[in-house]
Structures are given as C-alpha cells and as structure tokens.
Amino acid sequence: MATSGGQGRLIQPKNINQPATLQTIPQEDIKVTDNGKRHIVSGIALHNVLLPPMKIYVEYKIEKLYKELIKKYHINDSKHFNHPPDEQFSPSNKNLQDPKYSIQSHHELAKLYLEPHMKKFLKMTDGSFDSSAVLNVMSRASCFSKKEKKL
C-alpha cells in the first residue's frame, strides 16, 4: 500500500477487475419543483419544436443577405472586399482586418455575428447551430426587423 504525500495515510488500492456499474438515483429521490418541470418542458419544446423551423428561417434570411452583400460589397472577392458591410459583426472577428479575407458562404456570414465559442457549426442546419446561436444571429444581423429581433 502507498501513502499519500508523505502524510502517513494509507491509500487503498482500487480493484480494477470489478465491472463498471451505473449508479441510478431512485425516482422518488429526484425532487423537481413544478416550476422546474415547466422549465424542462419549455427547453424540450424550444429544442424540438421551435428550433428546426427557426434554423430554416434564419438560414433563408442570412442567405438572402449574403447575396445582397455580394452584389453591393463583393464580400466573396478578397480583391474588392475592403470593409465590413455590417456594424453588428461580433468585435471578436479578427478576420475582417485581413486584406485577403473574403466571405465564401452564408454560413460563414452567420459566424461573423457570433462569439468564437459559438462558431463550431459547419452549416446553419447542423446540430451544433443551437438555439443560442440562432438567437444571437437574429439579434445582430441587419436582415432581421426590430419585430423579429424582439421574438
């Protein structure tokens, strides 16, 4: 047996030959208030019912904005794209300072409205484009009206 940190306490060796077991909590031991249950149901409804059509709508609006910005600012061409077309881009977007930078898809455009930790998606229809990212894009992108942003 070994001692821990010279303190003289004995550390019992673990039996690594025992099969792993999952500990389950009996249902009667789980205490969820009525308000907690409402929050759980609301979260499930947001994720399963509201989020899929919101993603489709946000993608449609961002793709439309992307096409407008290509025509007006040539955002897909690094030779002609020289300034950010929208003041609402996240301040953490250092790429916009790069003279060789261009925005190659509406998915990349959506990422410009987000903080770095929210940019893990490849497409806006991915599972990693979550409700937080959807709501952030909607609140920052200029293609959404004030009424849409209040939702």
Side-chain angles (χ1 to χ4, degrees):
M1 285 197 219
T3 60
S4 65
Q7 304 279 333
R9 280 185 292 159
L10 294 177
I11 300 173
Q12 297 293 328
K14 294 187 181 202
N15 184 356
I16 59 172
N17 296 325
Q18 283 184 324
T21 59
L22 291 175
Q23 287 186 328
T24 57
I25 300 170
Q27 193 171 10
E28 60 271 3
D29 289 349
I30 298 174
K31 306 282 190 260
V32 180
T33 64
D34 287 342
N35 198 35
K37 291 174 186 176
R38 282 191 284 279
H39 278 88
I40 291 168
V41 170
S42 298
I44 292 169
L46 172 66
H47 184 74
N48 293 333
V49 179
L50 294 174
L51 189 58
M54 283 177 69
K55 283 182 177 184
I56 293 168
Y57 183 68
V58 168
E59 182 174 23
Y60 165 76
K61 294 283 280 195
I62 293 292
E63 187 171 19
K64 187 176 172 184
L65 175 63
Y66 178 69
K67 289 176 182 176
E68 290 172 9
L69 294 174
I70 287 174
K71 288 179 186 174
K72 193 171 181 178
Y73 295 102
H74 307 284
I75 65 171
N76 62 335
D77 182 2
S78 61
K79 293 178 184 173
H80 297 100
F81 176 43
N82 57 9
H83 64 289
D86 197 335
E87 297 129 17
Q88 296 300 319
F89 287 154
S90 173
S92 65
N93 287 300
K94 308 279 189 248
N95 292 339
L96 293 173
Q97 313 309 323
D98 183 358
K100 295 179 183 172
Y101 183 70
S102 63
I103 304 168
Q104 296 301 312
S105 72
H106 63 286
H107 304 288
E108 284 185 32
L109 177 63
K111 288 180 181 184
L112 292 177
Y113 294 105
L114 300 172
E115 295 300 320
H117 66 279
M118 301 173 115
K119 298 178 182 185
K120 295 183 175 40
F121 62 92
L122 295 176
K123 294 184 176 184
M124 286 186 272
T125 51
D126 286 353
S128 55
F129 188 62
D130 61 7
S131 57
S132 179
V134 169
L135 294 172
N136 269 278
V137 169
M138 285 183 74
S139 69
R140 293 181 177 171
S142 59
C143 59
F144 294 98
S145 68
K146 288 180 182 179
K147 191 174 184 179
E148 290 170 318
K149 290 179 181 191
K150 284 184 181 180
L151 296 175

